[in-house]
Structures are given as C-alpha cells and as structure tokens.
Amino acid sequence: MPTNPQVLPWTPPPAVDVEALPAGKWWDAVRAAPLVGERALKSLGEETGAVIQDEYGILYWLVEIGTATSWHLRQVRVLTELTDESTYLGVPPASWTKGPETHWRVPLSTRHYLTDAWKLWEALAEADRAEYGRAPEGRQLCYHCQLPTDEPIPVDVDDGRGDVGKVTYACPPHAPLYTRRRPRTLTSATAAKHEGHR
C-alpha cells in the first residue's frame, strides 16, 4: 500500500509543554551551539529539515538514525541511543513556533522533516571553520580550567613582535567567559594584521 506523502512518519505527541523524547527511536538529533548553529542554518537555507531552538539559542536538527554518530566538530554534539544509556531531547509541541522558550525554529512539516546528514555536516564544518578558524593539532589547555580539551576554541591571539604569536584557547564551557579581548579567530587576526588594523 503506498504511503501518503503528506503524512509525516513522526510528529510530536500531543503535549502542553516540552517533552523529553528518546533520541535513536524515530530520529537522531544534532546539537549545535548558537554561533555555529546560526551560520549553518543560514548556509542550509531551504535544504534544512525541522530545527528546534532552546531558550539558550542552541539549535537541534533531526537526522536519520545512525547517520551522524562519528562526527567530531567543535560545539556540535550528536544525540543518539547509546548501548548503555538513553539520550533525550526536549521536544516542544508542534504549535510552538515562536521563542524565547524552546520552540520549532523551522517548523516540522512535510517539506522540513529530517535534514540530510551529509549536507548538515558540510554546513556545520564550514561554520566551525568560519567561527573558530582551523582546528589546532592535538589537545590544548583551556586558559580557565587548565585542563586539556579536544575542542579547543581560540579566544585570543597575541600578535606581538610583528607575527601571530601565542594563541589562547578555551574549552567550550569556558570560551564565553573570556573577556580580555574581543574573541577572534586566527584567520581574522592574521587578516586584521595584514590590513593594518588592530
């Protein structure tokens, strides 16, 4: 029997508030921090599927189960079912399409359901490079907690003595706390120096 193309394979259950639903049952979810997420969403344009935005500005795309499990990008997490634990996503009612609370930033519809994982990865990888510059090789110490991080985010570039010098890194939770200088990436610091700006 053919399926009706106007009917979605999954819709949020009727609810009056955000409901915690298990990832890996109907979809996996890709979580992106606001800076990276907003840039990726703009890049995807009409090719995006449905997107949930929480009250902190974090974006969540729904993708086909198992298509994003090996991703390693700064400020991006994949929510899926794990062997020894369940992972949940706060899903708002389908009618919640305005913030500031958790809502459907891109409402769930037959045109916007699951996002193609490969296109999403390309958009997020491009956003990662644009926001944070080239990823350094190996782990770096966070300036704040002094612990090594696999997701070093450049928060300051000391461009003394005519060359790009020491880079200060932070782990994702501490990057927003850095206030010594306006955060900028290695590429923007190099470009500013080349153009004669400070």
Side-chain angles (χ1 to χ4, degrees), residues 63-84:
V63 296
E64 188 177 331
I65 295 169
T67 58
T69 53
S70 62
W71 291 8
H72 296 287
L73 294 168
R74 291 172 287 187
Q75 300 284 283
V76 173
R77 296 283 177 278
V78 178
L79 307 180
T80 187
E81 184 178 35
L82 303 173
T83 306
D84 54 353

Side-chain angles (χ1 to χ4, degrees), residues 27-190:
W27 32 255
D28 284 345
V30 176
R31 173 192 188 275
L35 283 175
V36 172
E38 289 294 337
R39 189 179 281 267
L41 184 60
K42 184 177 180 182
S43 174
L44 283 166
E46 281 300 308
E47 294 188 315
T48 189
V51 179
I52 295 171
Q53 180 174 334
D54 71 16
E55 66 261 36
Y56 305 106
I58 296 169
L59 300 179
Y60 300 83
W61 280 265
L62 306 181
V63 296
E64 188 177 331
I65 295 169
T67 58
T69 53
S70 62
W71 291 8
H72 296 287
L73 294 168
R74 291 172 287 187
Q75 300 284 283
V76 173
R77 296 283 177 278
V78 178
L79 307 180
T80 187
E81 184 178 35
L82 303 173
T83 306
D84 54 353
E85 67 182 71
S86 296
T87 306
Y88 291 85
L89 172 64
V91 177
S95 61
W96 289 18
T97 57
K98 301 274 188 232
E101 296 86 16
T102 299
H103 63 284
W104 290 94
R105 172 74 177 270
V106 177
L108 193 65
S109 70
T110 53
R111 288 188 58 225
H112 299 286
Y113 178 51
L114 298 181
T115 301
D116 178 277
W118 176 246
K119 289 178 182 174
L120 178 58
W121 185 89
E122 285 183 324
L124 288 169
E126 177 185 317
D128 174 277
R129 283 189 301 275
E131 290 298 331
Y132 305 124
R134 207 174 112 235
E137 292 190 20
R139 301 172 87 190
Q140 301 293 323
L141 287 181
C142 171
Y143 83 96
H144 184 78
C145 63
Q146 292 300 302
L147 294 174
T149 176
D150 291 324
E151 294 183 72
I153 297 172
V155 292
D156 197 3
V157 179
D158 181 6
D159 40 354
R161 288 192 290 202
D163 291 53
V164 173
K166 182 180 181 239
V167 179
T168 302
Y169 292 99
C171 61
H174 293 130
L177 304 177
Y178 192 83
T179 57
R180 189 174 133 219
R181 291 188 193 166
R182 183 175 171 267
R184 57 185 180 177
T185 65
L186 289 173
T187 52
S188 65
T190 306

